[in-house]
Amino acid sequence: MRLLSAIYGFEITRPISYGSWRIEPIIDSPEQANTLARDPEAYNLTAIVVGDTFPENERFKLEGVLCFIEHLDVIVFPAIQLIDDAEPDASKLPRILRRQRRHSGVGAVIARDLLFHQSRTDFLTLAMSKLSDDEFCKSTKFNILFFKCIETFRQRSPFLEISYFLLFSGLESFARASLNDTKTRDAAKPIYSQLSSYGLNVVLEDLSDLPRSIRTYARLRNSLFHNSEFRHTIHIGNSEIQLDATTYFFHLSMLVNLTILKAVGFDDGHTNWEAWLDRQMHY
């Protein structure tokens, strides 16, 4: 039995194999593939999945991984059986699945095939393996962190406070589960410990470097969650400093992305691990 599925909105120029299925690009031109994949107003057909089996739980995880890579909503269509095991024919699939606004995250987190040939293949393999590892997900709650991360930009109408809470709560759950720490009241402490163990250059608190301080993000989470306030005032000496969630949301979002890369063991040698501060994802 051969199965065929369609992918809408993911840039791929080189085949990727995982388990019993294979993703095959249908567009030869890298620039056209990029244009169609990152179309903010439509879901364009960019690849197909062919395999002997393609369970629904695999499709669900694959869709999430592709969304994370692009940081745009990507759709993986349910598989259909090919008659008499015929050769897959992408020309019979709809070229546009739907026209609808696609909300962007922080730009593609994994570099394009055109730049680094193996990066997307390596990340997909690592991420699918971790999401399929029930023991790993149970002990770390990695799956919760992962899917909360991608839901921040898959919402129909993203709300900053909801997105911020999803990111912070996912990070907190992951850190507490990984460290087996359910008792520390200060959420910033287990997050700081876990991220430090990955080699990310964070600090628990440094009032002279607020973006690097985990307590900055904890204070803003508390203001949003408890008071519905986007700002939090802290006192440094005789001065008052206003922390604004709209400013720090990018830092938190990128920090979560980098944590996910660390958690799956991905490092293509081109990732800037300070990207959450300087906004430059790749070298």
Side-chain angles (χ1 to χ4, degrees), residues 7-282:
I7 297 177
Y8 292 86
F10 177 69
E11 181 183 356
I12 176 175
T13 57
R14 296 169 181 272
I16 300 176
S17 296
Y18 180 81
S20 63
W21 46 262
R22 176 181 174 90
I23 302 177
E24 299 179 358
I26 65 166
I27 301 165
D28 294 329
S29 165
E31 293 312 315
Q32 185 185 12
N34 179 258
T35 298
L36 291 176
R38 300 205 64 79
D39 186 342
E41 303 295 339
Y43 293 82
N44 297 290
L45 178 67
T46 55
I48 58 174
V49 183
V50 181
D52 297 325
T53 61
F54 192 48
E56 177 62 18
N57 64 332
E58 287 284 290
R59 184 191 72 83
F60 173 76
K61 286 180 287 191
L62 176 63
E63 189 173 78
V65 171
L66 300 186
C67 286
F68 179 85
I69 290 173
E70 292 289 3
H71 258 54
L72 276 170
D73 192 27
V74 174
I75 294 176
V76 180
F77 214 66
I80 58 172
Q81 183 174 348
L82 296 172
I83 298 176
D84 297 325
D85 289 341
E87 286 300 311
D89 185 358
S91 67
K92 296 180 180 180
L93 298 169
R95 306 304 288 189
I96 298 177
L97 184 62
R98 68 176 70 148
R99 295 190 181 276
Q100 177 182 309
R101 180 69 180 171
R102 299 166 70 203
H103 298 284
S104 178
V106 293
V109 172
I110 308 298
R112 299 172 60 193
D113 286 342
L114 181 65
L115 299 175
F116 309 124
H117 299 334
Q118 197 64 25
S119 293
R120 292 191 166 204
T121 298
D122 288 349
F123 177 77
L124 184 146
T125 301
L126 289 166
M128 288 293 293
S129 177
K130 289 297 187 184
L131 289 170
S132 300
D133 186 337
D134 292 338
E135 186 59 38
F136 176 75
C137 288
K138 181 179 179 181
S139 63
T140 66
K141 298 186 179 178
F142 171 76
N143 55 329
I144 294 175
L145 171 66
F146 184 85
F147 285 107
K148 280 187 174 183
C149 175
I150 62 176
E151 282 305 318
T152 60
F153 56 85
R154 289 209 295 189
Q155 301 172 75
R156 183 67 59 86
S157 297
F159 291 94
L160 176 66
E161 60 270 41
I162 295 175
S163 296
Y164 193 103
F165 180 73
L166 286 170
L167 292 172
F168 191 93
S169 64
L171 195 58
E172 180 183 359
S173 296
F174 174 71
R176 288 187 183 279
S178 298
L179 298 170
N180 193 25
D181 180 355
T182 59
K183 296 182 178 179
T184 301
R185 295 188 63 183
D186 182 356
K189 288 184 176 180
I191 293 174
Y192 162 71
S193 296
Q194 182 62 28
L195 270 55
S196 294
S197 74
Y198 283 149
L200 294 171
N201 190 12
V202 297
V203 296
L204 180 61
E205 183 170 53
D206 182 349
L207 297 181
S208 67
D209 195 350
L210 292 170
R212 204 179 290 277
S213 302
I214 298 302
R215 281 214 176 108
T216 297
Y217 306 98
R219 288 184 174 111
L220 285 168
R221 187 283 304 266
N222 292 339
S223 290
L224 284 168
F225 186 71
H226 296 296
N227 304 317
S228 297
E229 294 287 345
F230 285 77
R231 294 178 178 85
H232 179 83
T233 303
I234 61 174
H235 295 86
I236 303 177
N238 296 323
S239 302
E240 286 189 351
I241 302 295
Q242 284 278 336
L243 303 177
D244 191 324
T246 58
T247 299
Y248 283 90
F249 177 77
F250 170 85
H251 299 305
L252 176 62
S253 177
M254 188 58 74
L255 189 58
V256 168
N257 294 329
L258 295 172
T259 300
I260 288 172
L261 298 186
K262 289 286 190 180
V264 303
F266 175 82
D267 188 355
D268 61 356
H270 304 289
T271 300
N272 174 19
W273 300 105
E274 292 276 281
W276 58 292
L277 299 172
D278 62 23
R279 298 174 180 261
Q280 185 66 41
M281 188 67 199
H282 308 109

